[in-house]
Amino acid sequence: MAAVSEPAVTAQAGVVITGGAGFLGSRLARQLLATGTISIGGEPARAISRLTLVDQAQVPGDLAADERVSVVSGGLGSVFGSGPGGRDLGILDGAELIFHLAAAVSAECEADFDLGMRANVHATESLLESCRALGTGPVVAFASSIAVFGGSAEHPLPAVIEDSTLPNPQSSYGAQKVICEQLLADYTRKGFVRGRAMRLMTVSVRPGRPNGAATGFLSGIIREPLAGQRAICPVEPDVPVALASPAKAIAALLGAGTSSDEAWGGRSAVNMPALSVTVADLVAGLERAAGPATTALIDWVPDALTSRLMASWPARFESERAAGLGLTPDPDIDSIIAMHIEETGWRQ
């Protein structure tokens, strides 16, 4: 009598996204759910059994309705903190990959130092301590920023940022990201987690309402005019910027979470590839796509704080480590604007 074969068992994996209700977090969640599988740290792909979204904001309805999604409401300090009700390790139960996106953004961190320290540094430490207590060494893909770089009198900003360029933050936000990178690196050295910090470029075009980022205008001067609304550009047209489309930012985060330790190449952060353009290039691309009546809706009103922050951040990168992970920059500004137009269904 022939033996009856047992049904194949599909290996499963749990994934957590902090900041899962945000723009990048929700976009990443949708892509993971659509794919249905994930390769964690270079291992064979497995089905996603549970996707946990942690955020103090409300998770979009389509994500909350998915049976694979578990929603945890609250800030990271309360969810993973060591105080009463904190450090609920059940949230991380079965999680082998954590995308850490939750953060306060640049301009609000500059305006409110305590907010930045609480939402960025202390929350990240709480998350890492929870991972340590878990005892399973999950992969933690951290969304860092190019704000870790900057120029000062003693250390001028180089013309091109390379993988070996040392951070020199000139803002509270940038300093907080450096602190988190180093925490992640040391928790990795100790074997508590497998940490990967990916430094994201300014993401444009972000749909929806503006956030508190100093670079938010780089989306606003495209998004608002296409919607027939006026937009303010707070810097001069010749200001250089390093951009990435939402799709490229998601690809960079996935590259951090799915690459093997050998491919990742160490504990230091990776600079994702950038499209280097000027603000004038961005406006010219909008005019090619939507005409001069659209760009006429942009008001050029200089802002000292935004101009200072933008001047302190680099715009040109050579990202060899990212290229080794298969990551590439956007080809041009026209493709970024075309992607936004297609996703929003804009018609002239």
Side-chain angles (χ1 to χ4, degrees):
M1 184 174 180
V4 178
S5 60
E6 294 290 333
V9 177
T10 302
Q12 297 186 328
V15 180
V16 173
I17 304 176
T18 73
F23 163 57
L24 284 181
S26 58
R27 188 181 181 109
L28 174 61
R30 291 189 181 99
Q31 185 159 328
L32 289 171
L33 292 170
T35 303
T37 60
I38 186 76
S39 169
I40 298 176
E43 299 172 355
R46 288 177 284 156
I48 297 174
S49 60
R50 185 174 72 166
L51 178 60
T52 302
L53 306 181
V54 183
D55 208 309
Q56 54 190 354
Q58 185 174 358
V59 170
D62 63 306
L63 293 175
D66 193 297
E67 62 181 8
R68 294 167 292 177
V69 172
S70 175
V71 176
V72 177
S73 299
L76 294 192
S78 61
V79 172
F80 294 113
S82 57
R87 196 146 299 149
D88 181 1
L89 299 184
I91 295 170
L92 297 179
D93 185 33
E96 298 174 70
L97 172 58
I98 300 165
F99 291 99
H100 179 28
L101 278 59
V105 293
S106 52
E108 61 186 3
C109 291
E110 199 65 16
D112 189 339
F113 179 81
D114 293 327
L115 169 66
M117 290 297 293
R118 183 173 63 252
N120 294 340
V121 177
H122 301 324
T124 298
E125 182 182 15
S126 294
L127 173 63
L128 291 174
E129 272 298 291
S130 293
C131 291
R132 176 187 178 188
L134 198 64
T136 57
V139 173
V140 178
F142 170 57
S144 190
S145 167
I146 61 168
V148 302
F149 298 108
S152 58
E154 66 275 21
H155 297 292
L157 187 67
V160 178
I161 299 295
E162 300 177 342
D163 290 330
S164 59
T165 303
L166 294 177
N168 185 26
Q170 301 301 304
S171 66
S172 294
Y173 175 72
Q176 290 154 14
K177 287 295 187 180
V178 171
I179 292 169
C180 293
E181 286 183 4
Q182 294 303 312
L183 277 174
L184 183 65
D186 203 42
Y187 274 68
T188 299
R189 182 183 67 85
K190 298 292 289 184
F192 303 143
V193 299
R194 296 164 66 192
R196 286 88 180 278
M198 178 65 72
R199 292 170 180 151
L200 300 182
M201 303 295 148
T202 296
V203 178
S204 182
V205 178
R206 287 176 175 262
R209 296 176 59 84
N211 62 12
T215 55
F217 74 92
L218 293 170
S219 289
I221 61 175
I222 302 297
R223 181 184 59 233
E224 272 70 83
L226 284 174
Q229 302 170 4
R230 303 204 71 84
I232 293 177
C233 183
V235 301
E236 297 297 328
D238 61 352
V239 169
V241 294
L243 297 182
S245 66
K248 292 294 185 181
I250 295 300
L253 291 169
L254 288 172
T258 62
S259 63
S260 67
D261 294 337
E262 294 74 22
W264 184 254
R267 297 193 300 270
S268 59
V270 168
N271 305 320
M272 75 167 290
L275 172 65
S276 297
V277 294
T278 65
V279 174
D281 294 330
L282 194 60
V283 175
L286 176 62
E287 185 160 315
R288 287 191 294 272
T294 303
T295 54
L297 293 171
I298 300 173
D299 299 316
W300 300 81
V301 183
D303 176 77
L305 173 60
T306 304
S307 297
R308 179 181 69 79
L309 288 174
M310 294 298 299
S312 72
W313 295 334
R316 295 184 61 200
F317 289 79
E318 289 184 359
S319 304
E320 293 184 5
R321 285 182 64 192
L325 299 174
L327 302 177
T328 59
D330 292 279
D332 49 48
I333 197 62
D334 298 88
S335 65
I336 290 179
I337 294 173
M339 187 182 306
H340 176 69
I341 288 175
E342 180 179 357
E343 290 184 355
T344 58
W346 178 83
R347 294 291 183 270
Q348 194 164 12

